[in-house]
Protein backbone atom coordinates (compact mmCIF):
# COMPACT_ATOMS: atom_id res chain seq x y z
CA UNK A 1 0.00 0.00 0.00
CA UNK A 2 1.44 3.37 -1.04
CA UNK A 3 0.83 6.37 1.17
CA UNK A 4 0.54 9.85 -0.31
CA UNK A 5 3.06 12.29 1.15
CA UNK A 6 1.79 15.83 1.59
CA UNK A 7 4.06 18.66 0.39
CA UNK A 8 3.67 21.81 2.47
CA UNK A 9 3.84 25.16 0.69
CA UNK A 10 3.12 28.72 1.91
CA UNK A 11 -0.44 28.23 0.57
CA UNK A 12 -0.99 25.65 3.35
CA UNK A 13 -0.76 28.30 6.09
CA UNK A 14 -3.95 27.95 8.17
CA UNK A 15 -4.79 24.47 6.87
CA UNK A 16 -6.12 21.98 9.42
CA UNK A 17 -3.98 18.84 9.63
CA UNK A 18 -3.56 15.87 11.93
CA UNK A 19 -0.24 15.43 13.72
CA UNK A 20 0.37 12.08 12.01
CA UNK A 21 -0.05 13.71 8.58
CA UNK A 22 2.12 16.69 9.51
CA UNK A 23 4.82 14.34 10.79
CA UNK A 24 5.04 12.61 7.40
CA UNK A 25 4.70 15.80 5.35
CA UNK A 26 7.55 17.27 3.34
CA UNK A 27 8.05 21.03 3.06
CA UNK A 28 9.27 23.09 0.15
CA UNK A 29 12.78 24.46 0.77
CA UNK A 30 12.96 27.80 2.56
CA UNK A 31 9.94 28.43 4.78
CA UNK A 32 9.56 26.84 8.20
CA UNK A 33 6.26 25.19 9.15
CA UNK A 34 4.85 24.28 12.57
CA UNK A 35 1.66 22.60 13.64
CA UNK A 36 -0.21 24.51 16.34
CA UNK A 37 -3.50 23.16 17.68
CA UNK A 38 -4.04 21.18 14.52
CA UNK A 39 -3.37 24.10 12.17
CA UNK A 40 -0.34 24.49 9.87
CA UNK A 41 1.51 27.72 10.68
CA UNK A 42 4.08 29.34 8.39
CA UNK A 43 6.78 30.69 10.71
CA UNK A 44 8.40 33.99 9.85
CA UNK A 45 12.11 33.56 10.60
CA UNK A 46 14.03 36.86 10.72
CA UNK A 47 17.09 37.25 8.52
CA UNK A 48 20.47 38.94 9.13
CA UNK A 49 19.15 42.33 8.01
CA UNK A 50 16.52 42.21 10.76
CA UNK A 51 19.20 41.31 13.33
CA UNK A 52 21.29 44.30 12.20
CA UNK A 53 18.29 46.61 12.67
CA UNK A 54 17.57 45.26 16.15
CA UNK A 55 21.24 45.63 17.15
CA UNK A 56 21.35 49.23 15.87
CA UNK A 57 18.29 50.14 17.95
CA UNK A 58 19.76 48.38 20.97
CA UNK A 59 22.99 50.39 20.66
CA UNK A 60 21.01 53.63 20.49
CA UNK A 61 18.98 52.70 23.57
CA UNK A 62 22.12 51.75 25.55
CA UNK A 63 23.88 54.98 24.55
CA UNK A 64 20.88 57.03 25.68
CA UNK A 65 20.70 55.10 28.96
CA UNK A 66 24.41 55.71 29.60
CA UNK A 67 24.09 59.45 28.82
CA UNK A 68 20.88 59.88 30.87
CA UNK A 69 21.02 57.55 33.89
CA UNK A 70 17.77 57.17 35.73
CA UNK A 71 15.51 58.45 32.94
Amino acid sequence: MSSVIVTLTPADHGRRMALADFDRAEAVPGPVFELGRGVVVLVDVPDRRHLAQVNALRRIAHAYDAAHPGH
Side-chain angles (χ1 to χ4, degrees), residues 3-70:
S3 64
V4 177
I5 296 177
V6 176
T7 301
L8 295 173
T9 67
D12 291 312
H13 177 74
R15 175 183 175 186
R16 295 203 56 81
M17 184 176 284
L19 178 59
D21 295 332
F22 183 80
D23 191 40
R24 290 188 305 262
E26 294 180 0
V28 294
V32 177
F33 297 92
E34 292 181 354
L35 187 67
R37 297 181 184 222
V39 178
V40 176
V41 179
L42 178 63
V43 180
D44 186 21
V45 179
D47 58 6
R48 290 181 184 263
R49 182 172 174 249
H50 180 262
L51 177 62
Q53 292 171 338
V54 170
N55 283 338
L57 290 172
R58 186 175 291 137
R59 283 192 299 272
I60 292 168
H62 285 279
Y64 179 86
D65 186 49
H68 305 90

